[in-house]
Amino acid sequence: MTRSLWIDAAGLPRTIDQTLLPFATREISLDSRQACAEAIRTMRVRGAPLIGAVGAYGLALALRADPGDDALESACAGLLATRPTAVNLRWALERVRERVAGLPPAQRAAAAWAECAAICDEDVACNRVIGGHAARLLLAAREADGERALNVLTHCNAGRIATIDEGTALAAVYRLQRDGVPVHVWVDETRPRNQGAGLTAWELAQRGIPHTVIADNAGGLLMQRGQVDAVIVGCDRVAANGDVANKIGTYLKALAARDADVPFFVACPLASIDPGAPHGDAIEIEYRDPREITHVQGFDDEAGAMRALRIVPEGTVALNPGFDITPARLVTALVTERGVVSASREGIATLLAGTSPDR
Ligand code: MRU
C-alpha cells in the first residue's frame, strides 16, 4: 500500500478499514455511494482530507448509477450528512458538483471521476509542500543544544492514513526523517477513539520513527519540563478569523503550550479553511455516541477479536464531543501549501487572495 486510497484492478476505490487498525489490515472496496457514506459515517475512513476524497468518489459512483440532476443533489446531500465538522467533505463535494453540473448527464460520471483523481493527486502534492514548511518551523523551534532529537508532540492522527498520502502534521516529521534529522514524536493517545495510540503509533512504527505514546493528560507536564520542542496538529476546519477546529483535546494542548512557551503549529491545507465561518463558534461540533466514552475498545489477544469493555458504573451518563475549538490567539502559525501565515483574519485573507503569505 502506498496511498491510503487507491483504484483497484476492478476500477473501484479501495482503502484500509481504520476501525481495525492497528490489529488487522483489512482492505475494503468502496463500490457505491452507499459504501462511501457508510465508510465515512462509521470512521472506517477518517481524517479531514481522506473524508473529502472518499466523499468525492461517493458522488462519482452515484453519478455512474444515475447522472441526473436529482440524483446529483441527493447524493451530495446524503454524503454531506455523514460527518459534520471536517469542511474538506463539503469542499470536495462542491468541487465535483461544480465540475459536472453544467455538463450533459452522459458526460458527468467520467468528469467526476477525473476530478476525484485530481483531488487525490493534489492532496499528496499539497501535503509535501506543507511538510517542507512545517519541518523548517519545527527545526527552528529546537533549542540550540546540539544533535539531540527534535521532540514533537501531536494529537490525534494527521498522518498518511488521514490523507491520501504524507499526512499534514506528520508530513513534517516524514520530511525531517528524509532530511536525516533525528526526531522523536510524543503521541497523545487521543481518547476516546485513540487515533493516536492506534493509528499514529502504527504509522510512525511503519516508517521507523521513534515515538512514545502518552496519556492525553501527560502533555502539559512534558511541556513544563522542556521535553517538547513544538506541538503540531492537523485541523478539520479553520474559521475566517483563524480559530481551529480539531480533535477534542487539541485546545487543552494549545493552552498548555502557550503557558509553557512551546510553539503550537497547525498544518492546514486550504481545503480545510471555511471562509463562511466567521469564527470558531460558527463551526458545528460533532457529538458522537456516549458509548465511546463509557467503553474502551481494544483487541483481545486470547479471543483474537476486538472487544469493548465498560469502564464506568452501569447507567452512567457520558457526553462525547468529537472536536473542540482552539482560539486563533493560541496558534503560533498556520502552515499551508501557500506558505506560513498567522492564524488571523489577515493571514486567512492573504491566503485566500492568493498573494504571498506573511512568512
Ligand atoms: O475524528 P477523526 O479521526 O476524523 O479526526 C481527525 C482529526 O481530528 C485530524 O486531526 C484532522 O482531521 C486532520 S487530518 C490531516
Side-chain angles (χ1 to χ4, degrees):
M1 169 182 99
T2 47
R3 291 187 170 192
S4 51
L5 180 66
W6 67 98
I7 302 300
D8 66 15
L12 291 167
R14 208 169 177 80
T15 191
I16 301 287
D17 182 348
Q18 296 192 27
T19 61
L20 300 178
L21 288 175
F23 312 111
T25 308
R26 183 183 298 160
E27 293 181 10
I28 48 171
S29 173
L30 301 171
D31 57 3
S32 64
R33 165 199 151 182
Q34 289 76 11
C36 291
E38 192 268 352
I40 298 171
R41 195 178 317 105
T42 57
M43 293 181 66
R44 296 188 201 284
V45 294
R46 33 69 49 204
L50 185 59
I51 290 171
V54 171
Y57 271 113
L59 186 50
L61 287 160
L63 291 170
R64 276 188 178 176
D66 179 350
D69 287 347
D70 290 349
L72 174 62
E73 292 315 315
S74 89
C76 277
L79 287 158
L80 189 59
T82 50
R83 289 194 76 190
T85 302
V87 77
N88 304 57
L89 178 59
R90 192 181 75 201
W91 171 87
L93 290 171
E94 280 179 2
R95 180 166 159 173
V96 175
R97 180 172 42 190
E98 274 170 29
R99 175 72 185 84
V100 304
L103 295 176
Q107 295 174 16
R108 285 179 174 172
W113 206 259
E115 201 62 24
C116 294
I119 287 172
C120 291
D121 291 345
E122 287 169 27
D123 178 74
V124 181
C126 144
N127 294 342
R128 283 203 164 235
V129 176
I130 288 174
H133 292 316
R136 190 167 39 82
L137 292 172
L138 294 179
L139 262 184
R142 180 169 58 172
E143 284 164 18
D145 60 356
E147 297 300 302
R148 74 164 173 81
L150 176 65
N151 279 302
V152 176
L153 184 143
T154 194
H155 191 70
C156 195
N157 173 265
R160 296 182 55 233
I161 54 173
T163 62
I164 304 303
D165 204 357
E166 281 295 302
T168 60
L170 290 189
V173 172
Y174 296 136
R175 174 59 187 267
L176 290 166
Q177 185 191 41
R178 284 197 291 274
D179 289 350
V181 176
V183 57
H184 165 265
V185 184
W186 297 109
V187 178
D188 282 354
E189 61 178 346
T190 318
R191 275 281 288 151
R193 287 187 67 95
N194 296 317
Q195 289 95 328
L199 304 179
T200 299
W202 176 79
E203 87 165 67
L204 291 175
Q206 284 204 326
R207 292 287 174 101
I209 293 178
H211 59 280
T212 306
V213 175
I214 51 173
D216 290 324
N217 298 329
L221 175 75
L222 298 181
M223 289 188 231
Q224 283 176 329
R225 298 280 164 106
Q227 290 171 274
V228 180
D229 293 305
V231 180
I232 186 162
V233 297
C235 59
D236 286 81
R237 191 184 299 223
V238 172
N241 71 341
D243 288 350
V244 173
N246 191 50
K247 181 53 54 194
I248 192 76
T250 302
Y251 169 46
L252 293 177
K253 290 297 132 64
L255 280 173
R258 175 56 54 93
D259 188 55
D261 207 16
V262 170
F264 183 94
F265 300 115
V266 176
C268 169
L270 295 187
S272 301
I273 297 176
D274 181 5
H279 43 67
D281 286 352
I283 296 175
E284 183 181 351
I285 299 293
E286 172 181 28
Y287 279 78
R288 299 187 54 80
D289 189 343
R291 195 178 153 86
E292 292 180 351
I293 304 291
T294 58
H295 292 66
V296 284
Q297 179 99 354
F299 191 77
D300 183 336
D301 286 324
E302 271 177 29
M306 300 286 285
R307 269 239 177 122
L309 296 175
R310 179 164 54 82
I311 56 167
V312 299
E314 223 173 325
T316 299
V317 175
L319 183 72
N320 188 13
F323 298 90
D324 62 22
I325 305 293
T326 299
R329 68 188 151 77
L330 297 178
V331 176
T332 308
L334 298 174
V335 189
T336 82
E337 64 270 39
R338 275 202 198 138
V340 181
V341 295
S342 61
S344 65
R345 223 167 266 291
E346 299 69 38
I348 301 279
T350 308
L351 279 176
L352 298 182
T355 49
S356 298
D358 52 12
R359 272 174 278 167

